[in-house]
Every structure is written in structure tokens, then in C-alpha cells.
Amino acid sequence: MSTTPTVLLVHGAFADAGSWSGVIAELQQHGIPVVAPPNPLRGLASDAAYIASAAAQIKGPVVLVGHSYGGALISVAGTVENVVGLVYVAAYVTEEGESLGELQGRFPLSPLVSSLREATYPVEGAAAAVEVTIKAEAFPEIFAADVPAEVTKVLAVAQRPLAAGVFTETASAAAWRTKPSWALVAGSDQAINPEVQRFGAKRAGATIVEAEGASHAVAVSRPSAVADLIREAVRATS
């Protein structure tokens, strides 16, 4: 059984596991085992259960890394026994019993809120549910202002929609109360107010790194900075 933790990367809304590509390459170059499963984006409890299951099936210690909404998931899934550390990347850091809506409601809303497009999706045995994406014309400025325009055009049409219900679901746990944590705050984030990121990270007692001028897509625009923080967490928990 390896003593070097496996890094499990959890993407957030409006993205997929490919958003970690640059980070994955950096970690692999340093011999760090890494996996990046798909995040269903259908519900806080169900998504966290999926990530927890993925982590529990990894032999040896695991460092969970969550971007954006993925931060709320690792706060719950991180209670799995073999999880030894949590890394938040431009992410929500939720408390037990708290919803995303409650957390961000403490601060001025980001421009994201007025730039969402609603659609519906079928739910077996129930009424259709609402999901959201970022309007294509707003996507570059809101999500990835420091990413080349030709890349954001692709990212905008490849968005993974998020079930709107996740904003009112409450977190069933806060793994950061018993596990060490690290956080990267994206200083120019237009999707999650940087103050929301800082508040959650400070409350968790996380080791905080500020990425000045970084957009929400900091893992795409600054993979080395993100990978450096993850490597710090891996070293500390090895």
C-alpha cells in the first residue's frame, strides 16, 4: 500500500474532469498518483456520496481536491476514513447544516447569478427538475477571463449543467473539522465571490494561498499554482 496519497480531483459546475488536465500533467510529472472522476452535478448529497465511494475504493490515503461546487462535496465526502487532507480551489467551503445559498448569501452576489440560463431535465417518477448553465456570451468574463478566447469558446459549449436544487440542500458534514485543509482563493473570480472563498477557508483553518487576478477557471489558467498547493498537501499528509 502506497504511503503517497492519491489525489482525487473533483470538478465543479459548468466544467468536466478535463478542466484538470494541466494540473494532472503537473502532478504526474512529480510521480503523484491522481484520478479525476466525473462529478454527476445532480445533488449535494448524491454527488458527495459518489465521490465518497470513489475515494473509499482507492487503496491507501487520499487527498480530496474540490473546485467550485466540488468544494462542498469534498467537505462531506472527506469524512471517509482514508481521506487525509482536503484542498479547496476557488471553492465553497461549507459547514455542516449549511447550504450553498446560505453561505454565499452572507456576501454580495457575484455576476454569475444574473448570467445563468435555466433548462429542465427529466427525473424518473417525478416532475422535471431545473438545471443551470452560464449563458454562452457571458461565459468568458464570468468563468474564465484569464483563459485564451479560443479556449473559452470551447469551454462555453462543453459546459456540464448543475441541478439548481443543490443551492438549497444542506451539507451533512464538515470534514475540515477533523482533516487538515488547504485553499486557493481566486482573486478576480466572477463566479464565486472571493470573499466567500476566504470566509470558508479561514473558518476551516485552512492554509490559504491567494492567486491575485485569477479567474474562476484558475486550474485551467494557472495549473502550476494549483498543482503546487496540492503537492504541499500531499507532502504534509504523506
Side-chain angles (χ1 to χ4, degrees):
M1 189 177 289
S2 173
T3 56
T4 299
T6 296
V7 172
L8 192 158
L9 301 167
V10 183
H11 68 80
F14 322 126
D16 61 23
S19 61
W20 293 113
S21 296
V23 175
I24 291 169
E26 293 262 353
L27 296 176
Q28 289 177 334
Q29 286 172 13
H30 287 87
I32 296 172
V34 57
V35 293
N39 177 355
L41 302 175
R42 298 291 81 166
L44 182 56
S46 60
D47 294 344
Y50 181 85
I51 297 304
S53 175
Q57 293 178 70
I58 294 172
K59 293 182 178 179
V62 172
V63 169
L64 287 181
V65 182
H67 172 247
S68 187
Y69 163 64
L73 300 186
I74 69 171
S75 291
V76 175
T79 57
V80 170
E81 187 177 354
N82 64 326
V83 172
V84 294
L86 309 165
V87 182
Y88 297 91
V89 179
Y92 294 109
V93 187
T94 43
E95 170 66 284
E96 182 177 355
E98 182 178 62
S99 70
L100 297 182
E102 289 169 338
L103 174 55
Q104 52 181 29
R106 295 187 174 97
F107 302 90
L109 293 177
S110 72
L112 171 70
V113 178
S114 59
S115 301
L116 294 175
R117 173 184 170 273
E118 290 190 356
T120 60
Y121 64 95
V123 179
E124 187 175 354
V130 176
E131 64 183 13
V132 292
T133 53
I134 302 173
K135 295 173 183 175
E137 65 274 17
F139 187 92
E141 180 182 356
I142 297 296
F143 198 88
D146 56 352
V147 175
E150 62 271 19
V151 176
T152 61
K153 288 179 181 178
V154 175
L155 296 178
V157 300
Q159 289 182 65
R160 294 271 313 281
L162 177 68
V166 305
F167 291 103
T168 55
E169 272 193 80
T170 56
S172 62
W176 46 261
R177 289 195 167 276
T178 57
K179 311 279 175 89
S181 60
W182 291 258
L184 183 146
V185 174
S188 294
D189 200 325
Q190 298 296 299
I192 300 178
N193 185 335
E195 287 303 317
V196 173
Q197 300 173 35
R198 288 188 194 98
F199 171 80
K202 289 178 180 176
R203 180 173 63 180
T207 299
I208 301 171
V209 171
E210 292 270 347
E212 293 185 13
S215 76
H216 192 59
V218 63
V220 178
S221 63
R222 303 190 189 185
S224 293
V226 174
D228 284 348
L229 184 61
I230 296 170
R231 286 168 53 212
E232 182 180 329
V234 168
R235 282 194 298 268
T237 55
S238 293

